[in-house]
Amino acid sequence: MIDESDFQPMEESDLRTVVAIEQRVMPFGWILNTFRSCLQNDAYECWKLNPDESFIGYCILYFVGPSVQLLNLCVDLPYQGKGFGRDLLCFALGRCRERKAHEVFLEVRVSNKAAQQLYSTMGFRKVDRRKDYYQSPHGREHADVFALKLV
């Protein structure tokens, strides 16, 4: 069972593990310097899910006034489909509420049906589409933009 103590702030020493997970899970995912930049900027919150010293996943939040961008939420392959993505998302939304955010936005690949289903069941609504937003093995892929009002 996951509890609050299983979520810890990401640290520089975590970045090699984070990048390894990103490379396994995300086609054309973030690189080391992108994660490092987030860690070095106070507008971002970088969290890891690490129960029993098992690095399961992470999320990156970007706070801009009353709005938040959920920039990255990732669960390592062996842990997918077991509710950890929902755990990470619930934790991230809790952080947003603690910081008095009014709304949360995110982009998700149109091909990532599992993520779209998760976000929809958590109250997010599709509000836009970004054409050719993501790089993919076959050129470019659209992203759907989802939003959740918190107040």
Side-chain angles (χ1 to χ4, degrees):
M1 186 70 162
I2 299 297
D3 63 41
E4 289 288 316
S5 66
D6 294 322
F7 297 93
Q8 295 106 33
M10 194 184 294
E11 300 174 356
E12 178 79 23
S13 61
D14 296 317
L15 291 183
R16 297 244 181 258
T17 301
V18 169
V19 170
I21 293 170
E22 183 85 356
Q23 289 174 346
R24 283 192 292 274
V25 175
M26 305 274 194
F28 306 99
W30 288 16
I31 60 172
L32 177 65
N33 285 339
T34 305
F35 286 105
R36 185 172 283 133
S37 293
C38 293
L39 277 179
Q40 295 170 348
N41 186 321
D42 290 339
Y44 295 83
E45 286 193 10
C46 308
W47 294 92
K48 62 183 177 181
L49 175 53
N50 194 34
D52 303 321
E53 303 303 313
S54 299
F55 202 124
I56 289 175
Y58 51 88
C59 63
I60 311 287
L61 299 164
Y62 176 49
F63 291 84
V64 183
S67 295
V68 179
Q69 283 276 327
L70 176 57
L71 296 176
N72 196 325
L73 187 146
C74 186
V75 174
D76 202 358
L77 291 174
Y79 303 101
Q80 290 185 3
K82 299 178 180 173
F84 295 116
R86 181 176 301 279
D87 292 336
L88 269 167
L89 182 57
C90 287
F91 177 81
L93 293 176
R95 292 295 307 147
C96 295
R97 288 182 178 100
E98 284 179 33
R99 293 197 46 184
K100 310 291 190 225
H102 295 180
E103 57 194 347
V104 181
F105 294 93
L106 60 89
E107 289 97 7
V108 62
R109 290 176 183 272
V110 295
S111 64
N112 191 343
K113 301 301 182 194
Q116 290 181 21
Q117 177 67 25
L118 170 62
Y119 298 132
S120 293
T121 62
M122 295 295 292
F124 283 84
R125 299 290 171 247
K126 182 179 163 186
V127 296
D128 201 0
R129 175 164 282 177
R130 299 193 197 287
K131 295 192 183 285
D132 300 327
Y133 187 75
Y134 288 109
Q135 189 175 356
S136 79
H138 309 291
R140 306 295 297 180
E141 181 177 0
H142 302 329
D144 285 335
V145 179
F146 283 77
L148 175 68
K149 296 279 188 197
L150 297 176
V151 293

